[in-house]
Amino acid sequence: AAKFDIESLLSQVQSFLAAGLNTQLLALDTEKNDGITLKLVASTAYHLQTLEGRVDMNDPIVVYGESEEPVVQSVGSAVAITYFVNVWVILTDNGLDPNIVKRLFRYRRALVDLFRYSWDTALRGGHKIRIQQSLPQIPFEDLETNWTARPVGIKIAFTIV
């Protein structure tokens, strides 16, 4: 059997996001019920680590990947490895949406709620998770295409014993 590693974890993260994020977004729309709706994430809009120079016409897109080196600790006779994963939702920002900041807050909340309340440790190999922080909203622009985007995300620590 193959050993569990960062590739295995990131594959689980992608499957988990694809299976549950849109449901979480719809639930937030229903809860808020204020006319601000969140765009759903297309099945082709998930990217591991980077867009690798590709242009993705989906809006929003999700980029996820390892954020730093894992930490290894001894726990009695076992070894615990903590992997750190960033998950970003990136929205196109044409400057015309007066509710862009509220949307960003809601996408981040959807990520937090999805991982905090739905990551089933029994089905995910018994590893525990901790949402470490919210990642900053730093807008960026592709100078070749004039594509402007706003990311929002979370950093998650996954500990596997």
Side-chain angles (χ1 to χ4, degrees), residues 15-67:
S15 296
F16 180 72
L17 285 164
L21 183 56
N22 284 339
T23 302
Q24 199 68 44
L25 297 173
L26 291 169
L28 262 176
D29 282 347
T30 301
E31 175 191 321
K32 295 294 185 179
N33 194 26
D34 60 2
I36 300 172
T37 56
L38 302 174
K39 294 179 185 176
L40 300 181
V41 180
S43 62
T44 57
Y46 292 91
H47 301 278
L48 175 61
Q49 286 302 99
T50 179
L51 291 174
E52 297 175 351
R54 291 172 286 159
V55 175
D56 186 328
M57 300 309 292
N58 290 300
D59 182 30
I61 60 174
V62 174
V63 178
Y64 61 97
E66 186 176 36
S67 66

Side-chain angles (χ1 to χ4, degrees), residues 11-161:
S11 178
Q12 285 186 358
V13 166
Q14 193 277 332
S15 296
F16 180 72
L17 285 164
L21 183 56
N22 284 339
T23 302
Q24 199 68 44
L25 297 173
L26 291 169
L28 262 176
D29 282 347
T30 301
E31 175 191 321
K32 295 294 185 179
N33 194 26
D34 60 2
I36 300 172
T37 56
L38 302 174
K39 294 179 185 176
L40 300 181
V41 180
S43 62
T44 57
Y46 292 91
H47 301 278
L48 175 61
Q49 286 302 99
T50 179
L51 291 174
E52 297 175 351
R54 291 172 286 159
V55 175
D56 186 328
M57 300 309 292
N58 290 300
D59 182 30
I61 60 174
V62 174
V63 178
Y64 61 97
E66 186 176 36
S67 66
E68 59 189 80
E69 289 293 316
V71 173
V72 179
Q73 297 173 313
S74 294
V75 180
S77 63
V79 173
I81 301 174
T82 301
Y83 295 103
F84 301 94
V85 174
N86 286 346
V87 179
W88 295 93
V89 174
I90 302 172
L91 303 176
T92 297
D93 181 12
N94 61 11
L96 301 176
D97 182 357
N99 296 308
I100 188 80
V101 173
K102 286 183 179 181
R103 287 183 208 286
L104 290 167
F105 289 150
R106 292 177 190 186
Y107 279 102
R108 181 174 52 214
R109 178 171 161 210
L111 290 173
V112 169
D113 288 354
L114 182 64
F115 279 96
R116 181 174 288 146
Y117 302 119
S118 299
W119 185 270
D120 183 351
T121 56
L123 296 175
R124 303 286 170 196
H127 35 277
K128 298 179 181 180
I129 70 166
R130 186 177 79 247
I131 298 169
Q132 285 202 306
Q133 66 188 44
S134 293
L135 300 171
Q137 296 179 21
I138 303 170
F140 59 91
E141 182 177 354
D142 181 328
L143 297 177
E144 290 182 18
T145 63
N146 288 327
W147 177 66
T148 302
R150 289 191 180 239
V152 64
I154 58 174
K155 179 179 179 180
I156 310 163
F158 293 86
T159 302
I160 295 102
V161 180

